[in-house]
Amino acid sequence: MMLGKSSFRSSTRSSGYWSDSSRNLVKSCAASTTGKQGGSVDGPLEESEATVSLPGKPSRDSSAMGNWETDISLKLIMKRQTTGLPDIRLQDLLRAKLRILENDCGEVIALLSELSARLLSIHSDQDLIVITFKTFEEIWKFSTYYSLGLISHCMENALLDQGFWLNCLDEEDVRIEVQISDESLKVMCKGLLLQEGMFFVKYPFSLQKNEENDQQPRGNNLVVVDKAKSGSELSGKSLISGKKISVPKSHMELLVPFHQWFFKRHSEGIGTLNNVAAEFPHPLGQGSCVAEVEYEGVGPEELSFQIGDRIEIVGFLSTCLQWFLGRNEANRRIGFVKINHMKPEDFMPLANDLLFIDEEEKYYFTEQDKFIEEDSLEMLKQMTQTDISVVYRLDTLNSQHEEKEEQQTPSNQEPALLKTKLNKAVNRLEEEKPIPSVNEEESIEQVSVSCDQEDGLDSEEPWLFVGRTGNLDNPEMFHHFLVMLDNEEYSKYFKHLYDSSFSFLTSIFRGFSEEEVVHYLEVAREAARKRQMQWAQTRICFLLGRMCAKKLKYSQARVYFEEALCVMKGQFTDLFLLIALYTNLVVIYLKQKNQEKCSAIFEKIAALLLGIPNYICTTEMEAEVLKYVLGKAVLSENKHAEARACFLLAKLHINLKQYEDALPFIERLQFLRNMLMLESRTSLDFHFTLGSLYYRKCLPNLAISCAKLSCIRPTRTLMDCLRGASFVMKGTSKLCGMGRLSSTIPTQVVPYLKWALSLANILKRDRINQALCHSLSEIYKLHGMYGEAIHYMKMAINTDVFTSTEEMVPLLISFAWLHVLNSQAAKAIVLLNTILESPSVQSCRTQQGIVYNMVGISMRRMRNVKEAAKNYHQALSISVDLGLKFNQAITNANYGLLCLWSKAYQISEQFLLKSIHIFSELTNVASEENFFQVLITLGQYYIEEELKESGMFCYEWALLIALKANLIERQVRATQLLCQFYNSVLPNEAQCIIYNEFLLHLTRKLMNKELEGHVLQNTSQLYLNLGTERAFRSALEYTKRSLGIFIDLEKKEKEAYAWLQAGKIYYILGENELVDMYIQVAQDAAVSTENLDFALEIFEAAGDVFFNGPGDREKAISFFRDRALPLAIKVENAKVELRLCNKLTELLLHVKTYAEALDYAQTALTLSVTLGDTLNERVAYHRLALVHQSLGRCELAEHFYLKALSLYPCPLEFDEETIYFVRIYVQLGEMAFCDLKDPYDAAGYYHLALAAAVDLGSKKFQLKICTRLATIYHNFLVDREMSLYFYQKARKFANELNIRRLNLSPAQYYKTKAQAPSKSLF
């Protein structure tokens, strides 16, 4: 059977104690386990601009792509934020997790799939994860995530378990740092680009030959290479000139991955880029400029000015374009201005911040996915949902509770102080019941009315509505319509006319068909022209052009748009209308491929879209213009213009609900924000927008990482932290795993709640403060950390946000229950009595019952049975009166547990059965966990009372309940009990194996590796007990799987046992070539634990494999003599030393090494005498006698036999002792007669043996001894009377035993004796 390299590579590294030859032998001979190969990943990928040197990378196989990289190593380091130094303890925890994932890498494959990477291998000893990529898009997306800092937080979510986030003292100070070689990423990215064929490079103009003009352009040429060929040059096409060009490989510079992706995707739509860049000292800014030349505008839209005229910049100026929109301060006219004609004056460059994003634009993405205080409170309310004030709680019988109660009983003063404090709080709430005054009610109504009025345009009647009644031939019919449209300035109501959704069709022309709308607008246009209402005519022409473009009538649409521009006469009073007109007209030119007219206005509309903040999106084709702007920004290396273009593209795509198209631009915008604002502490951040988009793409780890990055900023706000918590809660199923209750909260949310709590305390937001404390208390309670839960619940109760005691009582009950769970029953009783005195509880019978039930539980834990029963009776009466079946079932179960604890077993059984009867009638899912617990308790009681079938029935019923409710942990508990039942209570190997197999399935779902290893070991032993070769093979497979798990978990002792068990199975199977190796590794593993007692145990067990086996028993000698016995002497373990000496004596006797056996037999005798162990002393004397007899020292053998017999008690207690006496006396008789030639002594020993045989009542023994005596008396002592006497007795026994012939001749006796082997009679 072959063992996967991946699993045993980890075992060889982790063990570190066996030789290279053994390592190679294991790889070639052991059984196969799960490998570490990654699955395929389909998805896009991005750049990394971080620079990290990565030491100690594994060797690579570069044959597939020349000298290109074929894998990337991620080195994971646990670091402290404050010191920047690795944390050794936490690094060990991380390494242990990686070791487990080496053999079970499904989690890592899923995570890397989300990150667009493919797993190659995991090297836990080096803290490395090795990945690869198959396409350029994969490495682009991955490097984007890396450059944004998302990879580290994704690794934290995947590799750190739930307990880490609760137990870590300062989570914010601890992080996983992922180190990646920047050079390796670049080289691999280059290789993938060359492999795919098409890529883009920058080539300086200064290195190119210009035959047409002596003046060389500045900057870089942008060249697209279709296919890389061997040689010193690449052949491609310039995106600027459109001509073919050759680029020397030595001077080419690849674009960064985002730019590669952008031009790959959009270069055809962009067309030929203009390389004429404006000469201006600042790349982006606002303010004013001064004209350096005199200029007369070519058209009405261009601004005329004189030298020295001051031009105010409208919006922003970007040097990646030729134009900007300016206002001449001399005549206040607005128009397009060429940047080359200007020089800065009172100019404010925007170099170190994203100030080019307008204040309204900053919050655009936030408005798309609003998260307000009410949302946060609703989220926290869902986290704290509990039925504790409605449903009774079930007690548990745990001896640890009583022990802790004795240790944690509070002082006499402590309960009194606690009671006083709570009484004050309750009294204050009773006195301060808020009654809203009339004025307050009126003000509330006014606020609600004002809020309704401020909801926006959608909540009001439309500002303009066209009715269907009237004659279109009547000019007066259009008067109101034209007057409303004939406004020179922009009005907020015009947004319906300009937006891309054609909302004017439903708001202004409600009920009209599109044909009717077009007809109405045509007639209205003519009316506006006749009345010379130019702005109304302009807007109507714009609407007609849009309607024609919608029906794909582009020529007609172009006519309307050009008419609108002509009517406007270059006026810029309504900038949003101007942008809408230019944008739609450019779209028409692009559709009609009218390059001449398109190029005339393309740069101008680009300047408008880039420079005017918060313009209105009118068509999705705006993206083509913005992509052109982005291409120009990349060409001119203007990062600020690039960021602005990415922002506008992302905004456009999100506005059009094209979320997947928006994602790359938001990622690039966030990267540029990080790069341009390293020293800025602005609150501008796009991480939550990114997170929302990642959730839309089902990438929860990336989404949560975005929330984490946003919340660890120094400028984080309270709502940021709460929104981050909501992001984590969305990924609950991903973070918590399977089999948990639906209310389980991922512990990753704890840091966000703590950050929010800190800010809420500073801001004195008591309402949120109370909800946060309650949530934190609930999380710590779910994970059994009751001390922390009590701390936060106390903080929640102390907040002054309660308006009545009805609101406070559920928290007080939870507070008391936490003390019960924390084994502080005395404090709980004080709290519960105080709650019981509250008027609100006295008026609520259900809450009274809950309090009485909890008091009963507390009294039981304080060993006050009488008071416990009294309170249970009160609780049961209330539940019966109210008809609450579930609470009745709980109270009966608590009664049963109380009686069971008091050893009133029959009464306990009655209450438990009654509880089960009520539970079985309920259909509420919430009752099933309590039902399960009651069934388990009753099952354990039945088994203790030897009612095995009833106990089995309860266990199996409990398992069915857990399966129905999908409670994985409860299924594990029930299955474990059933395995134990069929193993020891009612042995059934088949049933035991079935349940162990099912338990193994559950442990995998629960992802509990240690438990899985134990189950595998138990299952292996069960198959081993079956005794068939097929079963042995199955046992070997399970043993090896458990071995892999224990190696990964670094459980050295269990690992050693697993190696030894595997060696034992190989011995049974007769595969002797592997036995010695496995046993040797087991011994070395035991030595590596540095626990000498454990090593001694393994050494002895290794020898026992051969000692108790069917063959090669002599191999045990070296294990006992050379390894185990010296270690036993070293650790001064006399008992083990004695046992080893006895085993060695027997083995050496077996191989007839009598002299050495004598030494160990004498040592065993000395040790047994020293220990005062009579049984072993008898054994030692017996073995000494055997050794001396084997050496021919009959006198000494006789002496030690008699010494062994003398140590037996008198009278003998067991038949086995009598049999021993018979055999030893017979042995002594034969030795005296045959070896010592003394028939007198022989006859004496035979007489003693006969007496013992008579006492035993064994006719067979008596026949044999009488025959011996008859022979001796007849042939050697010559006593005819005695000879006849024993002969007659022997004949009598022979007749009774149906034996026909007896031979009393001395020759036959000697012959029989000579042929009989000398063997142990013990």
Side-chain angles (χ1 to χ4, degrees):
M1 300 179 70
M2 298 298 294
L3 188 65
K5 294 182 180 179
S6 59
S7 62
F8 275 93
R9 185 159 51 215
S10 65
S11 69
T12 57
R13 287 195 304 272
S14 62
S15 300
Y17 39 68
W18 41 310
S19 64
D20 291 338
S21 59
S22 297
R23 185 181 296 115
N24 294 332
L25 187 58
V26 170
K27 287 183 180 180
S28 62
C29 301
S32 173
T33 58
T34 306
K36 298 186 286 185
Q37 294 300 320
S40 62
V41 178
D42 295 323
L45 210 105
E46 163 80 316
E47 86 210 71
S48 168
E49 299 189 13
T51 303
V52 180
S53 60
L54 186 62
K57 291 183 63 177
S59 60
R60 290 180 168 82
D61 177 15
S62 59
S63 60
M65 202 185 296
N67 294 323
W68 307 127
E69 299 280 349
T70 59
D71 58 63
I72 301 292
S73 294
L74 313 183
K75 187 169 183 66
L76 310 181
I77 303 175
M78 291 290 291
K79 283 191 174 182
R80 291 281 178 182
Q81 291 273 68
T82 52
T83 62
L85 298 175
D87 188 298
I88 297 176
R89 182 183 65 84
L90 294 176
Q91 188 70 29
D92 289 339
L93 294 176
L94 177 62
R95 191 172 293 124
K97 178 67 174 179
L98 288 174
R99 193 177 299 111
I100 293 173
L101 293 173
E102 279 186 325
N103 295 322
D104 188 5
C105 53
E107 293 178 54
V108 179
I109 290 175
L111 174 62
L112 292 176
S113 174
E114 189 171 329
L115 299 177
S116 297
R118 303 164 187 260
L119 178 66
L120 285 180
S121 59
I122 301 174
H123 304 272
S124 60
D125 56 338
Q126 302 175 56
D127 305 316
L128 292 180
I129 297 177
V130 182
I131 60 174
T132 191
F133 308 96
K134 295 299 182 185
T135 65
F136 164 74
E137 292 234 339
E138 288 181 356
I139 197 169
W140 161 55
K141 293 304 294 179
F142 179 85
S143 50
T144 296
Y145 305 144
Y146 178 61
S147 64
L148 293 175
L150 301 175
I151 303 294
S152 296
H153 299 297
C154 288
M155 290 296 175
E156 289 172 359
N157 286 333
L159 301 180
L160 302 179
D161 59 19
Q162 294 283 295
F164 171 82
W165 309 97
L166 293 174
N167 297 321
C168 194
L169 295 177
D170 187 3
E171 187 276 333
E172 190 174 1
D173 186 44
V174 180
R175 63 187 174 89
I176 292 181
E177 181 179 292
V178 179
Q179 294 183 353
I180 303 175
S181 171
D182 182 58
E183 187 61 29
S184 296
L185 271 177
K186 288 181 179 178
V187 172
M188 190 170 189
C189 182
K190 182 178 180 180
L192 290 171
L193 284 171
L194 293 175
Q195 178 179 290
E196 292 184 3
M198 180 179 175
F199 58 93
F200 295 83
V201 298
K202 288 191 290 188
Y203 182 39
F205 281 111
S206 59
L207 301 176
Q208 301 177 37
K209 295 179 181 179
N210 190 350
E211 300 176 356
E212 299 177 0
N213 194 348
D214 296 334
Q215 187 177 4
Q216 292 284 350
R218 291 183 297 174
N220 295 313
N221 196 354
L222 194 58
V223 181
V224 54
V225 179
D226 288 332
K227 200 169 186 181
K229 297 181 180 179
S230 59
S232 61
E233 291 186 346
L234 296 174
S235 178
K237 178 183 177 183
S238 171
L239 287 184
I240 294 174
S241 64
K243 298 180 179 179
K244 290 187 177 182
I245 189 173
S246 296
V247 182
K249 289 184 178 179
S250 58
H251 293 96
M252 77 171 189
E253 180 184 354
L254 284 171
L255 296 184
V256 296
F258 172 78
H259 296 159
Q260 292 281 356
W261 167 84
F262 174 73
F263 285 114
K264 274 174 171 280
R265 184 72 63 89
H266 305 293
S267 61
E268 292 183 3
I270 292 173
T272 302
L273 292 172
N274 187 348
N275 73 313
V276 179
E279 296 183 6
F280 204 78
H282 305 289
L284 188 73
Q286 57 188 178
S288 60
C289 304
V290 174
E292 291 186 305
V293 298
E294 182 180 341
Y295 183 78
E296 184 68 28
V298 176
E301 75 278 2
E302 293 185 11
L303 191 63
S304 299
F305 47 82
Q306 303 294 323
I307 297 175
D309 281 357
R310 188 181 180 89
I311 307 298
E312 180 187 348
I313 299 171
V314 179
F316 303 107
L317 177 152
S318 174
T319 57
C320 71
L321 300 173
Q322 300 179 50
W323 300 88
F324 73 94
L325 194 64
R327 179 186 290 111
N328 193 332
E329 293 187 357
N331 55 22
R332 308 304 297 170
R333 288 204 58 189
I334 299 176
F336 290 104
V337 182
K338 278 199 172 185
I339 298 175
N340 285 337
H341 295 163
M342 297 290 122
K343 67 177 180 180
E345 184 174 298
D346 294 334
F347 185 83
M348 185 180 71
L350 306 177
N352 296 320
D353 210 332
L354 295 187
L355 295 176
F356 54 79
I357 297 181
D358 185 72
E359 285 298 322
E360 293 185 18
E361 291 179 325
K362 282 184 181 179
Y363 301 104
Y364 172 79
F365 296 126
T366 305
E367 291 297 317
Q368 297 298 311
D369 189 17
K370 285 186 178 180
F371 188 81
I372 58 178
E373 183 173 337
E374 284 69 22
D375 296 327
S376 65
L377 290 172
E378 181 62 27
M379 175 196 69
L380 295 173
K381 183 179 178 181
Q382 291 178 0
M383 292 170 64
T384 57
Q385 284 182 346
T386 178
D387 57 2
I388 197 163
S389 61
V390 181
V391 176
Y392 291 1
R393 289 297 181 260
L394 182 66
D395 193 9
T396 55
L397 295 181
N398 191 338
S399 59
Q400 295 179 357
H401 290 157
E402 285 75 13
E403 294 174 4
K404 291 182 179 179
E405 295 296 345
E406 295 176 0
Q407 298 172 4
Q408 300 185 11
T409 302
S411 62
N412 295 330
Q413 295 181 352
E414 189 176 359
L417 291 173
L418 190 58
K419 183 176 181 180
T420 304
K421 182 177 180 180
L422 289 171
N423 278 330
K424 287 181 179 179
V426 173
N427 292 333
R428 175 178 57 79
L429 290 172
E430 291 294 336
E431 293 172 2
E432 298 178 1
K433 289 184 178 178
I435 303 175
S437 63
V438 176
N439 293 332
E440 289 177 346
E441 293 176 354
E442 291 177 354
S443 64
I444 292 171
E445 291 176 0
Q446 292 174 0
V447 170
S448 64
V449 171
S450 64
C451 290
D452 292 339
Q453 292 175 349
E454 293 173 1
D455 282 343
L457 297 174
D458 295 336
S459 63
E460 302 175 352
E461 288 295 323
W463 65 281
L464 179 61
F465 179 74
V466 176
R468 297 180 62 86
T469 60
N471 185 3
L472 295 183
D473 295 332
N474 183 6
E476 295 300 323
M477 180 181 176
F478 301 98
H479 177 75
H480 180 66
F481 180 70
L482 297 177
V483 169
M484 297 299 290
L485 295 183
D486 195 40
N487 191 344
E488 186 177 358
E489 302 290 337
Y490 171 75
S491 170
K492 64 179 181 179
Y493 303 110
F494 293 157
K495 183 178 181 181
H496 293 297
L497 305 177
Y498 306 158
D499 62 21
S500 60
S501 61
F502 290 82
S503 59
F504 68 89
L505 292 176
T506 56
S507 60
I508 299 175
F509 297 98
R510 189 181 306 162
F512 281 70
S513 66
E514 291 186 2
E515 290 76 10
E516 290 173 334
V517 171
V518 171
H519 178 60
Y520 184 92
L521 291 174
E522 286 174 345
V523 178
R525 165 177 163 268
E526 186 63 24
R529 186 183 62 79
K530 289 179 180 180
R531 297 186 184 189
Q532 295 184 350
M533 301 175 74
Q534 69 173 47
W535 286 102
Q537 182 183 349
T538 299
R539 292 187 173 95
I540 292 171
C541 286
F542 170 70
L543 294 178
L544 281 167
R546 294 192 67 193
M547 294 299 295
C548 292
K550 187 179 182 183
K551 294 187 175 183
L552 306 181
K553 299 177 180 179
Y554 297 125
S555 297
Q556 192 173 351
R558 177 172 59 82
V559 171
Y560 283 124
F561 289 141
E562 289 177 345
E563 179 184 339
L565 281 175
C566 183
V567 173
M568 284 184 70
K569 298 177 182 178
Q571 298 185 58
F572 288 80
T573 52
D574 188 350
L575 277 177
F576 295 141
L577 175 59
L578 184 68
I579 293 173
L581 270 171
Y582 270 112
T583 305
N584 281 276
L585 190 56
V586 165
V587 169
I588 297 299
Y589 291 152
L590 290 173
K591 293 288 186 182
Q592 294 182 333
K593 297 182 179 180
N594 192 336
Q595 294 294 332
E596 182 180 354
K597 289 191 175 183
C598 183
S599 59
I601 64 171
F602 204 84
E603 281 266 341
K604 294 177 181 178
I605 184 58
L608 285 175
L609 294 182
L610 188 67
I612 303 302
N614 213 28
Y615 69 87
I616 300 171
C617 171
T618 62
T619 173
E620 61 182 75
M621 290 295 289
E622 280 178 18
E624 301 304 318
V625 181
L626 292 174
K627 289 168 186 174
Y628 172 83
V629 174
L630 180 55
K632 289 278 291 185
V634 172
L635 181 63
S636 61
E637 299 182 358
N638 189 334
K639 297 293 185 185
H640 293 81
E642 182 183 350
R644 174 73 178 165
C646 287
F647 171 80
L648 295 174
L649 279 164
K651 180 181 175 183
L652 174 65
H653 287 303
I654 289 177
N655 192 45
L656 298 172
K657 301 188 184 304
Q658 298 168 351
Y659 301 110
E660 191 166 349
D661 293 333
L663 183 57
F665 299 108
I666 289 286
E667 290 172 340
R668 183 64 179 175
L669 178 60
Q670 182 63 48
F671 173 77
L672 292 172
R673 179 261 180 202
N674 295 343
M675 185 175 67
L676 297 173
M677 300 171 63
L678 292 177
E679 299 179 358
S680 175
R681 297 174 69 86
T682 181
S683 60
L684 187 61
D685 184 76
F686 305 100
H687 280 119
F688 281 120
T689 305
L690 263 179
S692 298
L693 294 176
Y694 285 140
Y695 262 126
R696 288 181 181 274
K697 289 192 68 177
C698 298
L699 304 174
N701 282 293
L702 285 171
I704 293 168
S705 298
C706 287
K708 180 72 172 291
L709 284 172
S710 186
C711 291
I712 61 177
R713 295 178 301 137
T715 57
R716 66 180 176 233
T717 65
L718 174 60
M719 294 311 298
D720 285 340
C721 298
L722 292 171
R723 193 176 183 190
S726 73
F727 267 56
V728 176
M729 292 302 295
K730 283 183 184 178
T732 297
S733 60
K734 179 79 174 179
L735 297 174
C736 288
M738 301 173 60
R740 304 279 182 172
L741 296 174
S742 59
S743 61
T744 297
I745 305 170
T747 57
Q748 284 91 330
V749 79
V750 170
Y752 300 89
L753 298 181
K754 288 184 176 179
W755 295 331
L757 180 60
S758 176
L759 292 170
N761 286 329
I762 295 172
L763 299 173
K764 300 189 182 303
R765 304 287 291 277
D766 289 340
R767 189 180 177 200
I768 292 180
N769 193 331
Q770 186 265 338
L772 287 167
C773 291
H774 193 183
S775 300
L776 284 166
S777 176
E778 186 67 21
I779 293 170
Y780 280 109
K781 184 191 81 172
L782 286 172
H783 292 85
M785 301 177 68
Y786 302 122
E788 290 292 325
I790 290 171
H791 168 72
Y792 284 108
M793 184 59 73
K794 191 173 183 180
M795 291 175 62
I797 292 172
N798 288 336
T799 54
D800 297 328
V801 296
F802 302 104
T803 58
S804 66
T805 53
E806 286 80 1
E807 292 183 14
M808 190 177 184
V809 165
L811 268 71
L812 290 172
I813 294 175
S814 296
F815 193 44
W817 180 241
L818 286 172
H819 281 88
V820 174
L821 295 175
N822 200 38
S823 301
Q824 295 174 312
K827 288 184 179 181
I829 290 173
V830 174
L831 285 166
L832 292 167
N833 288 332
T834 304
I835 296 169
L836 200 57
E837 295 169 3
S838 171
S840 63
V841 175
Q842 291 177 0
S843 63
C844 180
R845 294 275 288 162
T846 302
Q847 291 182 348
Q848 287 181 30
I850 287 167
V851 173
Y852 282 128
N853 182 66
M854 283 191 186
V855 172
I857 294 173
S858 303
M859 288 295 182
R860 203 279 303 166
R861 296 191 179 194
M862 293 183 67
R863 303 172 183 269
N864 191 336
V865 177
K866 184 177 179 181
E867 287 298 321
K870 180 179 177 182
N871 281 278
Y872 283 151
H873 178 71
Q874 294 275 12
L876 182 59
S877 300
I878 291 172
S879 62
V880 171
D881 293 342
L882 297 177
L884 301 175
K885 291 287 188 179
F886 182 82
N887 289 346
Q888 292 176 39
I890 293 291
T891 316
N892 278 289
N894 284 337
Y895 252 130
L897 292 172
L898 177 65
C899 296
L900 188 62
W901 182 78
S902 304
K903 299 183 180 179
Y905 298 123
Q906 293 183 350
I907 301 175
S908 169
E909 181 184 1
Q910 293 176 5
F911 277 113
L912 291 174
L913 286 172
K914 188 173 182 181
S915 173
I916 289 173
H917 177 72
I918 298 172
F919 271 125
S920 63
E921 296 176 349
L922 299 176
T923 57
N924 185 8
V925 176
S927 66
E928 291 173 343
E929 188 164 7
N930 291 308
F931 190 9
F932 172 90
Q933 190 59 44
V934 175
L935 285 168
I936 292 297
T937 302
L938 185 61
Q940 290 173 334
Y941 161 74
Y942 279 140
I943 289 174
E944 289 175 359
E945 294 296 312
E946 297 296 327
L947 300 172
K948 299 177 182 179
E949 294 293 334
S950 299
M952 177 198 66
F953 175 75
C954 289
Y955 286 164
E956 292 181 344
W957 193 357
L959 178 58
L960 291 175
I961 294 294
L963 288 168
K964 178 184 176 183
N966 194 29
L967 303 173
I968 301 296
E969 293 175 342
R970 297 292 177 261
Q971 293 175 34
V972 169
R973 173 65 177 152
T975 309
Q976 285 176 327
L977 289 171
L978 283 166
C979 290
Q980 182 182 352
F981 176 83
Y982 285 113
N983 186 50
S984 56
V985 179
L986 191 65
N988 186 324
E989 289 181 342
Q991 289 290 336
C992 199
I993 289 174
I994 290 171
Y995 281 112
N996 268 279
E997 294 278 7
F998 181 62
L999 182 58
L1000 184 59
H1001 167 71
L1002 293 176
T1003 57
R1004 289 174 187 161
K1005 291 177 70 175
L1006 203 59
M1007 291 185 290
N1008 187 332
K1009 285 292 180 181
E1010 186 169 0
L1011 180 57
E1012 183 182 348
H1014 285 298
V1015 176
L1016 285 167
Q1017 273 192 329
N1018 294 337
T1019 310
S1020 171
Q1021 188 59 47
L1022 288 170
Y1023 277 111
L1024 195 60
N1025 293 339
L1026 294 179
T1028 65
E1029 183 176 354
R1030 183 178 177 182
F1032 292 151
R1033 296 289 179 186
S1034 298
L1036 183 62
E1037 179 186 352
Y1038 285 110
T1039 299
K1040 287 185 176 179
R1041 285 164 60 184
S1042 69
L1043 173 59
I1045 290 174
F1046 292 139
I1047 289 174
D1048 292 339
L1049 295 174
E1050 289 192 320
K1051 301 289 184 181
K1052 294 294 184 181
E1053 294 187 0
K1054 294 172 183 175
E1055 177 190 340
Y1057 275 121
W1059 283 111
L1060 187 62
Q1061 180 78 346
K1064 180 179 179 180
I1065 298 172
Y1066 275 124
Y1067 172 74
I1068 295 172
L1069 291 171
E1071 299 181 16
N1072 298 327
E1073 66 278 5
L1074 294 173
V1075 176
D1076 292 339
M1077 185 272 294
Y1078 272 86
I1079 291 178
Q1080 182 61 42
V1081 176
Q1083 293 180 97
D1084 293 342
V1087 171
S1088 70
T1089 64
E1090 298 182 357
N1091 183 345
L1092 297 182
D1093 291 326
F1094 174 72
L1096 175 60
E1097 185 179 345
I1098 292 296
F1099 289 164
E1100 184 178 4
D1104 286 340
V1105 171
F1106 299 100
F1107 181 78
N1108 298 321
D1112 296 329
R1113 294 190 69 207
E1114 62 276 3
K1115 286 187 177 181
I1117 296 174
S1118 61
F1119 291 100
F1120 292 149
R1121 181 181 59 198
D1122 302 334
R1123 301 295 299 269
L1125 187 58
L1127 190 55
I1129 295 171
K1130 182 177 180 179
V1131 299
E1132 298 180 351
N1133 192 330
K1135 290 185 178 179
V1136 176
E1137 184 182 355
L1138 171 60
R1139 189 165 60 246
L1140 290 170
C1141 288
N1142 283 329
K1143 292 178 180 179
L1144 281 168
T1145 303
E1146 181 176 342
L1147 288 170
L1148 292 168
L1149 279 172
H1150 176 71
V1151 298
K1152 299 182 179 181
T1153 310
Y1154 302 124
E1156 191 176 356
L1158 180 61
D1159 294 336
Y1160 290 113
Q1162 290 173 342
T1163 303
L1165 177 59
T1166 304
L1167 289 170
S1168 60
V1169 171
T1170 303
L1171 293 172
D1173 188 341
T1174 306
L1175 176 60
N1176 274 298
E1177 187 179 352
R1178 295 201 299 262
V1179 173
Y1181 277 123
H1182 177 84
R1183 287 211 169 99
L1184 266 176
L1186 282 177
V1187 173
H1188 283 297
Q1189 185 179 1
S1190 300
L1191 290 170
R1193 302 170 184 174
C1194 297
E1195 292 85 355
L1196 287 173
E1198 181 181 11
H1199 167 74
F1200 287 117
Y1201 277 134
L1202 294 174
K1203 191 67 177 176
L1205 294 174
S1206 68
L1207 294 176
Y1208 277 87
C1210 185
L1212 300 177
E1213 298 178 2
F1214 306 104
D1215 289 345
E1216 289 78 5
E1217 294 175 338
T1218 308
I1219 293 172
Y1220 178 76
F1221 267 73
V1222 172
R1223 288 179 174 175
I1224 291 301
Y1225 280 132
V1226 169
Q1227 181 73 12
L1228 286 170
E1230 292 176 351
M1231 186 171 59
F1233 184 80
C1234 299
D1235 297 325
L1236 298 177
K1237 310 300 183 183
D1238 187 346
Y1240 292 99
D1241 285 348
Y1245 287 127
Y1246 283 134
H1247 279 290
L1248 292 172
L1250 182 60
V1254 170
D1255 185 55
L1256 182 64
S1258 173
K1259 295 180 180 180
K1260 188 174 180 181
F1261 277 129
Q1262 293 181 55
L1263 169 62
K1264 180 179 179 180
I1265 297 169
C1266 288
T1267 304
R1268 295 285 193 276
L1269 285 170
T1271 302
I1272 291 173
Y1273 279 115
H1274 179 76
N1275 296 316
F1276 300 99
L1277 296 182
V1278 194
D1279 186 337
R1280 302 296 181 185
E1281 184 178 352
M1282 291 298 293
S1283 173
L1284 181 60
Y1285 171 74
F1286 285 112
Y1287 176 78
Q1288 290 175 345
K1289 291 193 70 172
R1291 176 59 63 186
K1292 178 182 177 183
F1293 289 126
N1295 291 333
E1296 292 177 359
L1297 295 173
N1298 200 24
I1299 296 176
R1300 297 183 178 181
R1301 295 188 60 186
L1302 288 177
N1303 193 342
L1304 302 181
S1305 66
Q1308 181 65 29
Y1309 177 77
Y1310 282 118
K1311 182 178 179 182
T1312 303
K1313 184 61 186 160
Q1315 291 175 349
S1318 176
K1319 61 181 179 178
S1320 171
L1321 298 178
F1322 181 63

